[in-house]
Every structure is written in C-alpha cells, then in structure tokens.
Amino acid sequence: MESICAIRSSDFSFLCTRTYSLSRTRLTFPEKLFFCQAKFADSELDGTFSLRVVSPTLIAAEKEEAKAVLTLFLKKQGLSKAVAARTINKSELFIDHLVSRLHSVHKARYLVGRELTTLEIRDALIPYLETLHEEYGDILVELAENFPNAPVKEKVVPVSPPHSTLDSKKLKAISRVSEAGPTGDLRPQVLYLIDLGMDLEKIKVITRKFPAFAYYSLEGKIKPVVEFLLDLGVPKSDIPTILSKRPQLCGISLSENLIPTMKFLEDLGVDKKQWAKVIYRFPALLTYSRQKLNTTVDFLYEMGVSAESTGKILTRCPNIISYSVEDKLRPTAEYFCSLGVDIAVLLLRCPQSLGLSIEANLKPVTTFFLERGFSMEEVGTMISRYGALYTFSLTENMIPKWEFFLTMDYPKSELVKFPQYFGYSLEERIKPRYALVKESGVKLLLNQVLSLSSRDFDKILKKKVDKMLSNEG
C-alpha cells in the first residue's frame, strides 16, 4: 500500500523522508501519517509552522473553504451534488488534513495576521487533490471518508490491455524507477533524487503522470538541470517540489531552450535576481513556447501595461502565462472594464484577479456591494485600490467583516477609501484594535487602525489620547 505522505508539500515530504530514513522500522500507513502530522504541527524548527498560532475562528472558516473546494473537485469528477455532500459530511478528518496543508503552504501569511484569499486556498488545495486522484483514482472518496486509514487498492485483472488502469508504458516506467538496476541497487538517477529529498513514492507518482521521467539519464538530463537550478539560488529543499510540478524541465535542453527562454523573459523585465522564487512558484513558465509567451505579453501591452510593469507582473505572478488569453484573460478584463477599473493598474497590483471566474467569483462580489448601497463607480474604485478584494470568500470573509463594520463608527465611504479592510483578520486584527480605539475614546481613520505596525499604532493612539486630555484640561 502506498502512503500519501509521499505527496505532500516539500517541507512535509522532506520531514517524513528524513525521519523514516533514520529508522529501520516499517510503519503502517496510519502510523506514518500521524507521525508526520505530529512532527509537522508541533515543530517550528527549520521554518515549519505551528498550528497553535492560528485562531479557532480562522480554522473554522478555513474548514468551510476546504469543504467548498473538495465539493467542487468531487463534482468535477462526476459525483452528484448529493453524493458530494454526503462525502463531505463523512470526511471531517480529511478536511482537517487539507487545512493543515494550507498552513504548510502559506505559513508566512499566518505569522503576519493576513487571511488567505479564496484563490490562494483553491490554488493550494486543487493541485494536491489532483495528485491524490492520480494516486487513488475512483477510491478517492473512500480515502476521504476513512482518512487517515488508506483504502486497500484492489488488484483488478483487466479484461483487455486497452482498459487497464495503467497502460503498459506507465507500468514499464514505474517498474524502471521501482526495481533494482543491473548493479542490484536502485538506478543512479533514482538514488540521486532520493538524496535530494524526494522519496521513492513521490518519484513513482511523477512517473505515473509523466512516464518519460523514468528514462531521463542522470548525467545527461537530471543532474545538469538540478545543478543549474541550485546555481540560480534555488534551495535544495525546493528541488523536489519543482520537479514534481514540472518533471518536463529535465527533458529540456539547457543551452537551446531553458537559458534562451530565461534570457527572453529577462529582456521583458523579469527580475533575474528572483528566478529562484519565480521557478518555485511556477516551474512550467520555462517550458512554454515562445509563441505562447508572446501571446500573453502582447495582451498585457494591449491592456496598457508598460514594458517595465510587464516584467514585474511576470515576476510576481508567472502563472498568468498559463491562462488562455481569449478564454480567460480577455473576458475577465472586459468585466473589470465594465466596472470602470483601470486594467493596467489592476494587473500590476493583483494579476491573480484575472484568473478568477466571472460567474463564481466576480459577479457575486459585485452584487454584494451593490446590494449594500455602493455605486458601481465606488465598486470600481475599491477594486482599483485593492486588487485582491475579489479573491475573498463572501460567506467566510466579506459578510462577517461587513457585519462587524456596521458596528463601527465609520461611514461606508471609509471602505471605499480603504478596501484593504477586508484583507485583515477579523479576530486577530480588526476587533482587538478597534476595541482599543473605542476604549481610548478617540477617533482614527480606518487605515490608521489596521495598516500601522503595532508600535506605530500604539504611538498614534497615545498621541491622540494625550491631545484629547490636553484639550479637555
């Protein structure tokens, strides 16, 4: 039975791999999983994140987001709405597991009191669910409902080769990375990848999705690319994640493809000092054709984005290249234009916004503000000032924060001036700071309450109080 510990984030995978390599004892699937989770949740060594810093209220909200993502994913696999709902009701531990993954992927956001957007949650969980589906196929539902006890995969004898779950090409590739070579050990490229922190199960998962990976030579393909990435400043611990996301990187010529593509992107303004981060975020960027890159860049220019800003956008959000210009980017841009939004400014501030669904994300948020008395012009101003505004969940973020805003002594115009209000944690930032302002008896602008550092907030609050007392005296 294959463990899903092998298909976690790079930190988690490395922790599990290193831990088990120190032990000769073979653990069962549940034991492995809980041991990894315990190590992950309680440790803050080497950059890992403690779940204890996340408030119960925020965790509850994230659970609802995770449920929504899982429901959508199951429906895309062909399950009816009723069956998907029943699965969600039986999958409490699996939902908790998905939330723990969010904390691993976005630990830096929690440490500064910033809540995740719906888009960030979706982007963190959907690729992971796709990997699980690749691993478990039709029994993914059983996995979710019985988590952490992995279901036993039945060995089904195919009636005919065309209907086999894994065709002969995949089987041969998996056998190549799983079995000992002529010397009696695993093949050199497999041992090299394991030394990088990629366990055998992860290598097999990659091979299932991309069988050619099993045939890449160590000296001719894999090692040169890995060393090239290391020279760019990519941490060794990030290499397994990068190769998992885009194993095709190892099949591309450094001199004829990778380096010329990077030079082309640098000429467009991509910050060459940021290549390590760019590649980690979206390694597929270096595998797209020149035509595909040019199509997206031409669209950015058409939207009024300057050459300098184009480079900044590609550096911050390289996955914008993956969106279809005609099917995704242009229709979304036209929708924002209908709100009076400057698309060039929006692209620079929050390029991820153009990856949102018009029907599922944009229209509901617009309706939300219009129903609460904001004009279309004010909505356009808010999104222009805070591009991430449309990436938040209505039910778990915007509605609760709106309801609390109604209890604050501010006019609606304050939200138009400072829509970033919706990006701060209600329990960790908004409520505590506003309580201090109310207790002091002074008035601060909404952005002063939330955007200042703790030190500056205390200073300006004290200054206002001293002034008020001086005037009364």
Side-chain angles (χ1 to χ4, degrees):
M1 181 168 60
E2 298 169 348
S3 165
I4 66 170
C5 277
I7 42 182
R8 302 286 177 83
S9 65
S10 59
D11 292 345
F12 199 11
S13 178
F14 175 72
L15 176 61
C16 295
T17 303
R18 187 175 65 176
T19 302
Y20 294 131
S21 68
L22 297 176
S23 173
R24 298 291 183 180
T25 305
R26 183 169 181 80
L27 302 179
T28 64
F29 173 80
E31 288 172 336
K32 285 183 180 181
L33 181 63
F34 279 126
F35 188 72
C36 291
Q37 285 182 317
K39 281 285 184 183
F40 169 64
D42 293 335
S43 175
E44 292 180 324
L45 298 176
D46 303 323
T48 53
F49 177 66
S50 173
L51 298 180
R52 289 171 294 193
V53 306
V54 185
S55 71
T57 302
L58 183 54
I59 289 178
E62 289 171 343
K63 284 185 179 181
E64 294 304 314
E65 292 273 14
K67 288 178 183 179
V69 172
L70 181 57
T71 299
L72 178 62
F73 185 82
L74 293 175
K75 289 169 69 176
K76 283 186 176 181
Q77 309 312 314
L79 273 67
S80 67
K81 183 177 180 181
V83 173
R86 285 200 298 270
T87 299
I88 296 298
N89 291 335
K90 297 178 181 179
S91 306
E92 184 175 350
L93 290 178
F94 186 66
I95 298 297
D96 289 342
H97 168 64
L98 294 180
V99 171
S100 74
R101 178 168 179 80
L102 289 177
H103 298 162
S104 172
V105 175
H106 291 290
K107 52 183 173 286
R109 293 292 298 272
Y110 294 95
L111 295 176
V112 296
R114 296 292 298 275
E115 294 185 9
L116 297 179
T117 67
T118 296
L119 185 60
E120 287 172 326
I121 292 173
R122 184 189 69 183
D123 288 347
L125 296 184
I126 288 182
Y128 178 59
L129 290 172
E130 288 174 344
T131 303
L132 286 180
H133 187 259
E134 186 80 23
E135 175 81 6
Y136 286 91
D138 293 338
I139 60 174
L140 177 60
V141 170
E142 187 179 348
L143 169 67
E145 292 180 354
N146 294 280
F147 193 84
N149 299 309
V152 177
K153 301 177 186 178
E154 297 180 4
K155 294 183 178 180
V156 180
V157 179
V159 176
S160 60
H163 295 89
S164 61
T165 305
L166 293 174
D167 59 30
S168 59
K169 185 178 179 180
K170 288 185 178 180
L171 287 171
K172 187 181 295 185
I174 293 170
S175 174
R176 183 176 175 83
V177 300
S178 304
E179 298 174 0
T183 62
D185 296 320
L186 291 172
R187 295 181 184 275
Q189 58 266 51
V190 177
L191 294 174
Y192 178 78
L193 292 170
I194 290 175
D195 183 61
L196 285 172
M198 184 183 293
D199 62 38
L200 184 57
E201 294 302 324
K202 171 62 76 176
I203 298 171
K204 288 164 66 178
V205 168
I206 295 172
T207 305
R208 283 190 187 89
K209 294 194 295 184
F210 189 66
F213 188 67
Y215 299 92
Y216 288 156
S217 69
L218 175 59
E219 299 298 331
K221 297 278 189 181
I222 298 175
K223 195 172 182 180
V225 170
V226 170
E227 291 180 346
F228 177 73
L229 294 176
L230 293 173
D231 288 342
L232 287 174
V234 175
K236 181 180 177 182
S237 59
D238 286 351
I239 299 295
T241 300
I242 291 172
L243 297 186
S244 298
K245 289 180 178 178
R246 202 67 169 179
Q248 294 93 324
L249 276 174
C250 294
I252 296 177
S253 168
L254 280 172
S255 59
E256 296 180 11
N257 300 102
L258 286 183
I259 293 176
T261 297
M262 292 174 66
K263 179 64 170 59
F264 172 75
L265 290 167
E266 287 173 8
D267 289 342
L268 289 172
V270 171
D271 187 352
K272 58 184 178 182
K273 296 179 182 179
Q274 298 293 319
W275 271 122
K277 292 181 179 179
V278 171
I279 294 173
Y280 180 77
R281 287 174 188 153
F282 192 61
L285 177 66
L286 300 182
T287 64
Y288 282 108
S289 68
R290 191 65 55 86
Q291 180 182 1
K292 172 63 174 171
L293 296 174
N294 276 324
T295 299
T296 303
V297 170
D298 288 344
F299 170 78
L300 296 178
Y301 290 155
E302 181 186 340
M303 293 297 105
V305 177
S306 67
E308 180 183 3
S309 295
T310 295
K312 292 180 180 178
I313 291 169
L314 295 177
T315 302
R316 290 178 50 206
C317 184
N319 59 310
I320 196 172
I321 294 292
S322 67
Y323 298 134
S324 166
V325 169
E326 298 306 323
D327 295 337
K328 170 62 73 174
L329 297 179
R330 192 178 302 284
T332 308
E334 289 174 352
Y335 180 83
F336 279 122
C337 279
S338 72
L339 300 177
V341 175
D342 186 327
I343 301 302
V345 173
L346 179 61
L347 279 165
L348 184 59
R349 291 181 177 175
C350 187
Q352 298 92 331
S353 295
L354 268 74
L356 296 170
S357 164
I358 294 175
E359 297 298 327
N361 302 104
L362 306 187
K363 287 184 178 180
V365 174
T366 299
T367 301
F368 168 82
F369 284 114
L370 293 178
E371 289 178 344
R372 283 153 182 80
F374 292 89
S375 68
M376 190 70 80
E377 182 181 0
E378 287 175 324
V379 174
T381 299
M382 291 167 74
I383 186 64
S384 296
R385 289 177 174 170
Y386 187 48
L389 184 64
Y390 273 59
T391 67
F392 294 110
S393 164
L394 274 175
T395 56
E396 303 303 327
N397 184 302
M398 303 189 80
I399 291 176
K401 289 176 183 176
W402 167 257
E403 291 175 348
F404 183 75
F405 178 80
L406 294 177
T407 69
M408 305 169 77
D409 298 326
Y410 293 109
K412 288 189 301 183
S413 59
E414 276 294 292
L415 287 180
V416 179
K417 296 175 183 176
F418 189 67
Q420 291 87 344
Y421 166 83
F422 290 98
Y424 290 93
S425 169
L426 182 60
E427 300 298 331
E428 304 294 331
R429 188 85 159 195
I430 299 173
K431 287 184 177 180
R433 287 207 175 178
Y434 184 67
L436 291 173
V437 173
K438 287 288 288 183
E439 183 180 345
S440 68
V442 300
K443 287 192 175 184
L444 293 177
L445 296 174
L446 189 58
N447 70 327
Q448 292 176 316
V449 176
L450 298 176
S451 65
L452 297 176
S453 66
S454 297
R455 181 179 179 181
D456 289 341
F457 173 74
D458 291 340
K459 286 172 66 175
I460 195 171
L461 190 61
K462 183 178 184 303
K463 184 177 180 180
K464 288 279 188 177
V465 171
D466 290 343
K467 184 177 180 180
M468 179 183 68
L469 294 175
S470 175
N471 291 338
E472 291 177 354

